[in-house]
Amino acid sequence: MTDETPIQQQMESLRTEIERHNRLYYIDAAPEITDREYDRLLRELEELENQYPEFSTPTSPTRRVGGAPLDRFESVRHTVPMMSLSNTYSKEELAEFDRRIRKLIPEEIFTYILEPKIDGVAISLRYENGVLVRAVTRGDGATGDDVTANIKTINSIPLRLSDMMPPTVLEVRGEIYMDTAGFSKLNESRQEAGLEPFANPRNACAGSLKLLDPREVAKRPLDAIFYATGELDGIAFETHEQMLLSLKNYGLRITPKYWLNGKIDDVLDRLDELENMRHEFPFEMDGGVIKVNERRLYDELGFTAKSPRWAVAYKYEPEQAETTLHAISIQVGRTGVLTPVAELEPVQLAGTTVKRATLHNEDEIRRKDIKVGDRVIIEKAGEIIPAVVKVVTEKRTGTEQVFEMPNECPVCGSEVEKRAGEVALRCTNLQCPAQVKNWLTHFASRGAMDINGLGESLVEQLVDSGLVKNPAELYSLQKVEVLGLERMGDKSAENLLTGIEASKHRPFEKVLFGLGIRHIGKGAASILANEFKDIDTLMKADLAQLENIYDIGPIVAQSVVEYFLNPETRAVIEQLREAGVNFEQVDTGGSSELEGLTFVLTGTLETMTRDEAGDKIKKRGGKVSGSVSQKTSYLVAGANAGSKLEKAESLGVTILTEQQLMDLLGSDEQLEDKQTGQLGFGF
Ligand code: IVH
């Protein structure tokens, strides 16, 4: 028996439960619960940790992203050097590798194991007594950078090994990589933000690991696969396969596929099979790694200066093709960024016909000296649209043309600009049809005007049909017009128009957020709404006034001023105002029936989430707290309420059921009636 308190035991069982689900999700690909249920467990643990910080542990699953940004990474010496592999490029070279080994150990019978070679960044993780203590990059093989805080943000990497009796020291080595689909998305959003895209997933991964702020790293789609060991204490493995399977048991991800073969000829066949699967893996694979499976032979085979003799890499040809670049067209993205695209002579690449390749931006065209009419090499680098790697300059005829980026937007003809710190050119016209879709989708989104039924595809249709050119025009849509759209029945047209009508009454801060002013997120919108109370006062504010507001920085201030200086946006605001959209802060503090009361919410509520219930309480002047104390007025207990309920009972705090809470709150409609009445707008 332990002398842990019931709370401690509850927290520990939550931690193991969360770790178990992590494993089911990331390692076994067989989740048992939904993301929502998982989040609920995590939140429950978080709440307990807030309440009982003395019982929180550094390996808690809530501790993946934390700590302040670093100034620099510490250098750490590898206890066992991190070697690399010698490369082979032909099957003859591999046969030679086999002959060399057989010569060194002529008496031995052994097998080979073949795994994919992952094109990422090598890492060494050190677990002491089952706890992740350090993650170090390869560096020069002898010393690397301590990137522990960054590595901890990768959800599939266990902070504790799942084993009751873990070894004293387990150093595992593997590859951090960026998931190919995630890479494409990341590059897309970098491009939209006017930033330089990464050349390939490996660069994106390396760049991510070098970030000093783990919170930024957490946003990058990184993952890891482990395939080797460093220092070991208290554990030994007979074969490589056995090692892989134990790593998997500990909760570490290993290659989804490997092959065991006694003869090199069979390995060569499997290499082809592996190459054919190239695009089925979520990571970029640049070859296969062939290793002797029997670890007892490693010492005998030994090392050359930089690589082991018992393993070798076989590199596949990169997936490239040569073709002619006929023209360069310009695409205008949803944020107005102009992207040059190569129009190619169609060519077969990795099983698909390629007609276009991205050129990213003007700098890239200059750097690679790409001209119209060039013969170019294109490559797939995890992106849906391939990239141009280089020009085949030997094949130039002298007729190739230098390409100039346009001075105006090819979609609307407005001027283009380059913002400070960006590589991209942007269209300056917010009403450019290419940008309007983005603006409308944002305007209608849940955090902004929350217009039910107005999703991306409908926005697409509204803009393409010319019905809507800015958010204000939504309010003059007629039912007959909406009915003319694809798949639009009477009922959905009705719903859409009701949704649009209802959005006129959204709080000022939501309207402000919906305007899509650059750099104004929900938080800044709310601050500005509270500070200025109405749009006219805000429009008159100057830079100094804005910068003076706590939490509003110079970038936001500048952006607000610029936005309201633009006559086009001013016109849209006027149109919105005429349509009846709310541009004033209504003092929601007006209702004060729960003033002075503090609520704690616990357990699972049936009709709403705890957040929603919290909002309703706050709207009526009440306070919501995370922990029960003498000051708690009411504890609202949902299903499976735990420690907080016990504590409330022991302190004699009044306990409410969900129904009792709802009775206390009344409906939102009742509240709104009351508020308008109070403010004198009632009938
Ligand atoms: S084994 C002692 N296995 O490729 C050598 N390496 O070019 C241990 N790599 O440094 C490495 N996939 O960063 C091994 N399945 C795999 C690999 C792999 C990728 C990387 C690793 C290594 C480099 C060698």
Side-chain angles (χ1 to χ4, degrees):
M1 280 311 287
T2 63
D3 41 12
E4 285 185 344
T5 68
I7 293 291
Q8 254 175 312
Q9 282 167 10
Q10 188 194 348
M11 286 167 76
E12 177 55 22
S13 83
L14 260 173
R15 282 192 289 261
T16 29
E17 181 68 0
I18 292 168
E19 283 164 355
R20 190 173 76 85
H21 289 300
N22 248 348
R23 186 199 164 90
L24 285 166
Y25 186 88
Y26 290 107
I27 313 297
D28 306 335
E32 283 176 3
I33 57 174
T34 62
D35 289 0
R36 217 186 137 99
E37 285 165 322
Y38 178 86
D39 288 342
R40 192 174 296 153
L41 289 175
L42 207 60
R43 263 211 311 276
E44 195 179 332
L45 177 59
E46 230 160 32
E47 280 178 21
L48 284 169
E49 287 176 346
N50 287 338
Q51 203 173 339
Y52 304 96
E54 66 275 26
F55 299 148
S56 73
T57 62
T59 52
S60 164
T62 60
R63 296 288 194 93
R64 287 202 173 268
V65 188
L70 304 172
D71 295 333
R72 59 182 192 90
F73 299 112
E74 297 289 328
S75 262
V76 177
R77 214 178 164 75
H78 295 294
T79 45
V80 175
M82 280 181 86
M83 297 220 145
S84 61
L85 297 170
S86 56
N87 287 326
T88 55
Y89 297 90
S90 67
K91 295 196 168 161
E92 290 75 62
E93 285 179 85
L94 271 185
E96 177 54 34
F97 161 77
D98 176 59
R99 277 195 294 275
R100 236 182 358 251
I101 292 186
R102 296 196 188 274
K103 227 165 137 185
L104 284 165
I105 45 170
E107 307 293 307
E108 299 285 356
I109 295 169
F110 60 89
T111 41
Y112 287 117
I113 188 160
L114 167 67
E115 310 166 337
K117 182 167 182 327
I118 303 145
D119 195 10
V121 176
I123 195 82
S124 182
L125 304 186
R126 186 177 175 91
Y127 287 90
E128 288 177 4
N129 300 312
V131 172
L132 174 64
V133 293
R134 203 172 296 131
V136 185
T137 61
R138 173 164 48 204
D140 61 6
T143 37
D145 285 339
D146 182 339
V147 290
T148 315
N150 287 351
I151 292 302
K152 278 186 170 177
T153 67
I154 301 172
N155 284 319
S156 72
I157 293 185
L159 304 180
R160 290 196 294 187
L161 298 177
S162 52
D163 195 300
M164 297 299 278
M165 302 282 283
T168 323
V169 175
L170 173 70
E171 255 181 31
V172 288
R173 278 146 187 205
E175 207 81 356
I176 308 289
Y177 66 88
M178 188 174 284
D179 166 302
T180 31
F183 165 75
S184 296
K185 264 206 213 133
L186 175 70
N187 253 3
E188 238 169 69
S189 62
R190 281 180 74 85
Q191 198 131 343
E192 294 277 273
L195 300 171
E196 187 75 63
F198 290 109
N200 54 48
R202 180 168 39 74
N203 285 10
C205 175
S208 303
L209 287 183
K210 286 200 188 103
L211 294 172
L212 292 165
D213 187 351
R215 280 166 303 193
E216 287 305 309
V217 185
K219 296 180 196 157
R220 301 282 174 88
L222 300 179
D223 216 324
I225 281 187
F226 295 90
Y227 47 64
T229 55
E231 187 182 338
L232 299 177
D233 187 1
I235 190 160
F237 308 102
E238 270 175 30
T239 63
H240 184 76
E241 180 182 35
Q242 190 205 353
M243 183 268 289
L244 289 179
L245 297 176
S246 329
L247 295 191
K248 185 170 176 185
N249 253 330
Y250 283 135
L252 291 153
R253 286 186 69 221
I254 60 164
T255 168
K257 190 128 182 88
Y258 63 83
W259 292 263
L260 278 170
N261 285 100
K263 291 204 213 78
I264 197 73
D265 285 348
D266 293 328
V267 177
L268 300 184
D269 291 342
R270 297 289 88 76
L271 266 173
D272 294 334
E273 197 178 317
L274 177 63
E275 184 163 11
N276 288 333
M277 298 173 61
R278 210 168 161 165
H279 299 286
E280 290 166 31
F281 297 111
F283 44 80
E284 293 271 286
M285 184 188 83
D286 57 345
V289 180
I290 298 109
K291 299 170 181 174
V292 171
N293 191 34
E294 288 72 13
R295 287 171 64 107
R296 69 185 151 83
L297 301 174
Y298 289 4
D299 278 347
E300 213 170 323
L301 288 167
F303 297 87
T304 67
K306 47 181 215 31
S307 45
R309 286 207 188 83
W310 41 263
V312 72
Y314 176 84
K315 298 265 257 190
Y316 296 128
E317 288 296 323
E319 290 183 307
Q320 296 187 331
E322 188 185 313
T323 185
T324 303
L325 186 155
H326 287 310
I328 295 178
S329 62
I330 300 288
Q331 255 179 12
V332 185
R334 296 162 62 91
T335 56
V337 169
L338 273 61
T339 305
V341 176
E343 304 290 342
L344 308 166
E345 178 64 35
V347 61
Q348 283 298 115
L349 175 62
T352 53
T353 308
V354 175
K355 295 188 206 125
R356 315 181 84 199
T358 175
L359 297 169
H360 296 307
N361 54 56
E362 192 174 12
D363 290 8
E364 175 110 345
I365 297 179
R366 297 282 165 267
R367 200 166 42 239
K368 293 182 177 159
D369 184 29
I370 296 167
K371 292 182 184 164
V372 175
D374 268 334
R375 288 292 286 175
V376 292
I377 305 291
I378 58 166
E379 184 179 286
K380 280 206 167 166
E383 304 201 54
I384 300 149
I385 309 175
V388 173
V389 185
K390 61 171 187 188
V391 173
V392 191
T393 38
E394 311 85 84
K395 295 197 179 162
R396 280 212 167 134
T397 61
T399 55
E400 296 78 13
Q401 304 276 314
V402 172
F403 175 77
E404 296 289 345
M405 286 292 279
N407 296 321
E408 42 189 55
C409 169
V411 178
C412 72
S414 300
E415 237 178 88
V416 295
E417 65 169 9
K418 200 174 209 167
R419 292 186 180 147
E422 293 189 357
V423 288
L425 284 178
R426 281 176 192 268
C427 166
T428 50
N429 175 15
L430 248 192
Q431 292 170 51
C432 170
Q435 291 179 71
V436 165
K437 290 176 188 167
N438 195 31
W439 192 13
L440 282 172
T441 314
H442 169 78
F443 185 79
S445 67
R446 274 191 75 182
M449 302 300 267
D450 195 12
I451 304 179
N452 239 336
L454 187 50
E456 274 186 38
S457 69
L458 197 48
V459 162
E460 197 90 3
Q461 288 192 59
L462 287 171
V463 176
D464 290 344
S465 63
L467 280 174
V468 176
K469 289 186 282 304
N470 68 45
E473 294 187 356
L474 286 172
Y475 296 93
S476 49
L477 275 178
Q478 301 297 312
K479 191 165 169 191
V480 282
E481 295 172 326
V482 177
L483 277 172
L485 301 173
E486 261 172 56
R487 286 189 299 272
M488 184 57 80
D490 200 74
K491 186 95 187 101
S492 13
E494 229 12 281
N495 285 346
L496 175 67
L497 293 175
T498 319
I500 293 175
E501 183 61 29
S503 73
K504 290 180 182 172
H505 310 293
R506 297 282 175 260
F508 180 39
E509 60 186 79
K510 306 247 174 190
V511 182
L512 203 49
F513 174 59
L515 290 180
I517 309 172
R518 247 165 75 79
H519 303 299
I520 310 292
K522 285 182 203 152
S526 165
I527 294 169
L528 293 173
N530 278 321
E531 191 70 28
F532 293 97
K533 308 287 188 217
D534 62 65
I535 194 90
D536 294 310
T537 321
L538 175 62
M539 286 207 288
K540 281 188 218 126
D542 62 19
L543 210 55
Q545 240 175 312
L546 285 158
E547 282 190 33
N548 252 333
I549 301 167
Y550 186 74
D551 264 355
I552 297 289
I555 296 180
V556 171
Q558 180 70 34
S559 169
V560 171
V561 170
E562 274 173 17
Y563 185 87
F564 290 121
L565 274 179
N566 183 338
E568 283 155 14
T569 54
R570 290 180 83 103
V572 174
I573 288 169
E574 273 328 301
Q575 250 179 298
L576 284 167
R577 197 203 301 261
E578 274 161 33
V581 169
N582 169 38
F583 278 116
E584 278 176 33
Q585 176 86 324
V586 178
D587 208 349
T588 44
S591 166
S592 54
E593 54 196 71
L594 301 183
E595 200 172 305
L597 299 178
T598 303
F599 291 74
V600 175
L601 302 159
T602 186
T604 314
L605 302 181
E606 265 173 28
T607 61
M608 55 192 148
T609 66
R610 285 201 297 262
D611 276 351
E612 285 161 359
D615 281 347
K616 285 178 197 282
I617 291 170
K618 285 187 239 162
K619 228 168 147 181
R620 289 158 179 80
K623 275 214 308 215
V624 179
S625 160
S627 57
V628 178
S629 73
Q630 296 285 5
K631 293 192 197 130
T632 311
S633 321
Y634 295 107
L635 177 102
V636 181
N640 303 320
S643 58
K644 288 187 192 174
L645 179 57
E646 282 169 33
K647 188 156 178 197
E649 278 168 343
S650 71
L651 290 173
V653 169
T654 311
I655 317 256
L656 297 181
T657 61
E658 183 171 350
Q659 187 55 51
Q660 284 170 320
L661 172 71
M662 298 215 299
D663 293 344
L664 191 66
L665 294 172
S667 72
D668 273 348
E669 289 69 38
Q670 280 168 358
L671 177 71
E672 269 156 29
D673 286 349
K674 262 190 224 162
Q675 285 177 349
T676 41
Q678 270 173 5
L679 294 165
F681 298 143
F683 296 105

